[in-house]
Amino acid sequence: MSYLFESFKGWKQYCESADVSLVQSVIEYEVDQKDSSEEKIMTGLQHAYTVMKEAVKTGLEDEMTSRSGMINNGAKKVYNHPLAVLSPEFQKLISRALAAKEVNSCMGRVVAAPTAGASGILPGTMVTLQEIHGLPDSKILEGLLIGAGIALIIEEKASLAGAVGGCQAETGSAAAMAAGAIVYALEGTVDQIFNAVAITIQCMLGLVCDPVAGLVEVPCVVRNASAAAIAFSSAQIALANVNAVIPVDECIEAMGEIGSSMESRYKETAMGGLAATLTGQEIANRVLIQDIEILPDESLPE
Ligand code: SF4
């Protein structure tokens, strides 16, 4: 019987008592749940990572303008800008996270990890991590398995959906998955991996879901970039053994508590926050008119 990912404390205890690694415990779970084999799970994961890499490439090379016009080739502009504000690596990280998410906003193919709204964070962080540290694909795939275990626990204790827990649940969870994967891939301990998750969640708590015009474009795309940066800052802090103080399970419980007390206008309804601004409302009206204009004539009222 595999571990059912109810808590981080339980995950660690299970691995210690069953003498399996974190990665192996996720593979056991996947094999059990999908009635599959380790080989098939790893093949599927390799495919998912290939799609992530393709999304980064597509977003940096192809035309990326969304139908609303709110997304307009931002990733390429960042990637090609002559001034790197911090380092060329940071510039690449930000542009890659933007790129993969722009592909999603322009209806291209992405991996929803854990959701389409947060689909730029793992591609941006993993591709950049792999390049900087010269890691093989196998190490990145194991990191993604760690991320999967983290997501399973967040889903169990809080939520992964913006409509349930606000944007902290989507981009916050993806950032936590990425931070754990980064620490794992850089040979961090179990405690350091879990500490990276706790620090990331602490940084993302309370973030509302307020997509302009109800489209997963603004602020979603730029939040993928900031979440990717937070994943790296959390990993850097955790690898240095700086303690999050509040244990990771309690951080996730706080996320659940905040999500459940968040008003519905901040949960993907496009009725609050940025969506409710004057400009947000104007864009929503324009998008609605565009949609009516492209309806076939016979569907319009007489
Ligand atoms: S604002 Fe809402 S729709 Fe956009 S990424 Fe965050 S949770 Fe998803």
Side-chain angles (χ1 to χ4, degrees):
M1 178 72 180
S2 59
Y3 181 60
L4 293 177
F5 293 89
E6 285 153 350
S7 69
F8 286 91
K9 192 175 172 195
W11 190 9
K12 185 180 173 189
Q13 280 172 351
Y14 171 82
C15 291
E16 284 173 352
S17 63
D19 196 22
V20 294
S21 66
L22 292 182
V23 167
Q24 202 55 41
S25 66
V26 180
I27 293 173
E28 278 177 8
Y29 173 89
E30 291 288 317
V31 167
D32 268 9
Q33 294 294 315
K34 296 183 177 146
D35 197 16
S36 185
S37 66
E38 179 170 346
E39 196 189 349
K40 282 188 189 154
I41 298 295
M42 295 313 290
T43 303
L45 201 54
Q46 179 72 63
H47 178 63
Y49 188 45
T50 300
V51 173
M52 287 185 187
K53 288 194 271 194
E54 284 170 0
V56 168
K57 191 165 179 290
T58 303
L60 290 176
E61 290 179 359
D62 292 3
E63 170 65 29
M64 283 296 138
T65 307
S66 63
R67 206 163 61 81
S68 73
M70 288 192 284
I71 301 307
N72 181 15
N73 295 299
K76 280 192 283 295
K77 289 173 193 158
V78 175
Y79 193 83
N80 295 318
H81 192 72
L83 179 64
V85 296
L86 186 58
S87 68
E89 289 83 5
F90 184 74
Q91 187 174 8
K92 284 186 190 169
L93 168 70
I94 297 306
S95 50
R96 285 168 177 155
L98 292 173
K101 179 64 193 80
E102 284 182 1
V103 169
N104 166 249
S105 294
C106 296
M107 305 298 156
R109 192 165 70 141
V110 294
V111 179
T115 62
S119 57
I121 297 162
L122 279 161
T125 51
M126 293 303 103
V127 169
T128 305
L129 179 76
Q130 183 169 31
E131 181 179 270
I132 291 174
H133 294 278
L135 299 172
D137 267 14
S138 57
K139 186 60 90 178
I140 299 296
L141 299 191
E142 289 175 4
L144 290 174
L145 286 167
I146 296 288
I150 292 165
L152 284 166
I153 295 170
I154 296 176
E155 188 174 33
E156 177 68 27
K157 289 174 86 79
S159 173
L160 297 171
V164 178
C167 199
Q168 56 169 1
E170 284 201 18
T171 57
S173 298
M177 293 164 70
I182 293 166
V183 172
Y184 170 81
L186 298 179
E187 311 297 339
T189 64
V190 172
D191 287 339
Q192 288 171 333
I193 294 167
F194 290 1
N195 203 33
V197 174
I199 293 165
T200 306
I201 295 299
Q202 290 183 9
C203 296
M204 304 293 287
L205 280 183
L207 194 59
V208 301
C209 173
D210 51 354
V212 170
L215 301 170
V216 189
E217 299 182 13
V218 174
C220 318
V221 171
V222 291
R223 279 187 191 161
N224 274 250
S226 58
I230 285 175
F232 271 98
S233 72
S234 301
Q236 186 78 72
I237 294 166
L239 277 166
N241 290 321
V242 178
N243 198 320
V245 179
I246 307 298
V248 60
D249 282 309
E250 294 177 40
C251 291
I252 308 296
E253 283 153 20
M255 184 177 166
E257 182 263 319
I258 291 168
S260 58
S261 57
M262 205 179 260
E263 291 186 33
S264 61
R265 67 176 188 272
Y266 301 128
K267 294 184 185 178
E268 218 172 304
T269 53
M271 295 173 77
L274 295 171
T277 59
L278 196 58
T279 302
Q281 292 291 298
E282 282 169 7
I283 293 169
N285 287 335
R286 178 168 56 74
V287 168
L288 187 66
I289 290 165
Q290 269 177 7
D291 281 347
I292 290 169
E293 281 172 350
I294 62 161
L295 283 173
D297 284 350
E298 60 271 22
S299 66
L300 291 170
E302 296 286 320

